[in-house]
Amino acid sequence: MLEIKNLHVKLEEEDKVILKGVDLTVEAGKVHAIMGPNGSGKSTLSYVLAGRDGYEVTDGSASLLGADILDMEPEARAAEGLFLAFQYPVEIPGVGNMTFLRTAVNAQRKARGEAELTAGEFLKVVREKAKSLKIDAEMLKRPVNVGFSGGEKKRNEILQMAMLEPKMCILDETDSGLDVDAMKLVSDGVNALRDEGRAFLVITHYQRLLDHIKPDVVHIMADGRIVKTGGPELAMEVEQNGYADILAEVA
Ligand code: ADP
Ligand code: MG
Ligand code: MG
């Protein structure tokens, strides 16, 4: 599904190298987790994959279902099936949440050569999915994320993901700022989307989320590289001992 090879990335504006040779292969149907200390480059990796400005790829490659994505515009990557749930969801004043979702869904359907959803069809689907994430009708009418609590923003990211039905889903610390109940809702939302034809990259600081969204593979990222890869037990090890032991071992 996703193949990243030797990815090197620096900031466009300054000579700061952030990713120093990331290698990562995520197979369809799998959930991979990335953990790692603050500042190790996890969010940068997700931004570069999604196509955010401000970063320069100096070496390496990234492909989605065999297609090189690094030269594509962000919307083309999305049309290919890439989705990023942001660590810090953006507020969009003046754009209703429902309008935003419908525009995004129909743009993607169009890019895939599928018929757009009618207003009625869209309403039916969005209401059903919003309900399972406990997002009420009033939140659907408000401008995107404006005045939403931290937890509501994260649930709204999952609603976007559920509506767009992407193939490669990247969740950047979607659990941060969530209470136990909201974490359960978000995890249930993600688990409902698990499918043979879809893959997930779940970036998280905490083992807690991985109790709900059981990963197949866990990676540890440090200083711009994946330094260790293992099974779910690796997340337990981090939870118990922190990163120090792992970092010392790979140093
Ligand atoms: P993580 O998500 O693992 O905490 P980030 O990818 O957010 O790490 O950041 C990696 C490093 O790159 C940090 O040292 C961060 O300060 C730096 N960095 C990332 N983006 C920028 C930017 N736009 N300007 C300056 N520094 C940045
Ligand atoms: Mg950060
Ligand atoms: Mg981050």
Side-chain angles (χ1 to χ4, degrees), residues 52 86 88-93 144-146 153 156-157 160:
R52 183 177 174 150
F86 288 111
Y88 305 106
V90 187
E91 297 186 3
I92 315 178
V144 180
N145 290 327
V146 176
K153 286 180 182 174
N156 203 39
E157 295 284 290
Q160 290 170 19

Side-chain angles (χ1 to χ4, degrees), residues 11 14 16 18 37-45 55 87 173:
L11 290 178
E14 16 175 327
K16 183 176 161 86
I18 303 177
N38 273 326
S40 54
K42 305 179 300 295
S43 290
T44 300
L45 176 64
Y55 302 97
Q87 180 173 2
E173 293 199 27

Side-chain angles (χ1 to χ4, degrees), residues 129-191:
K129 293 191 193 285
K131 194 175 165 199
S132 67
L133 286 161
K134 291 207 162 57
I135 291 173
D136 61 32
E138 196 251 337
M139 262 170 74
L140 288 175
K141 285 183 202 147
R142 270 153 58 184
V144 180
N145 290 327
V146 176
F148 287 24
S149 71
E152 286 169 343
K153 286 180 182 174
K154 297 296 175 92
R155 276 185 279 144
N156 203 39
E157 295 284 290
I158 301 302
L159 176 62
Q160 290 170 19
M161 186 169 88
M163 290 303 297
L164 290 166
E165 301 186 326
K167 297 201 179 85
M168 180 71 230
C169 308
I170 305 174
L171 280 70
D172 190 4
E173 293 199 27
T174 301
D175 50 338
S176 64
L178 295 186
D179 60 32
V180 178
D181 293 334
M183 173 128 49
K184 180 86 172 43
L185 285 175
V186 160
S187 306
D188 289 348
V190 170
N191 287 329

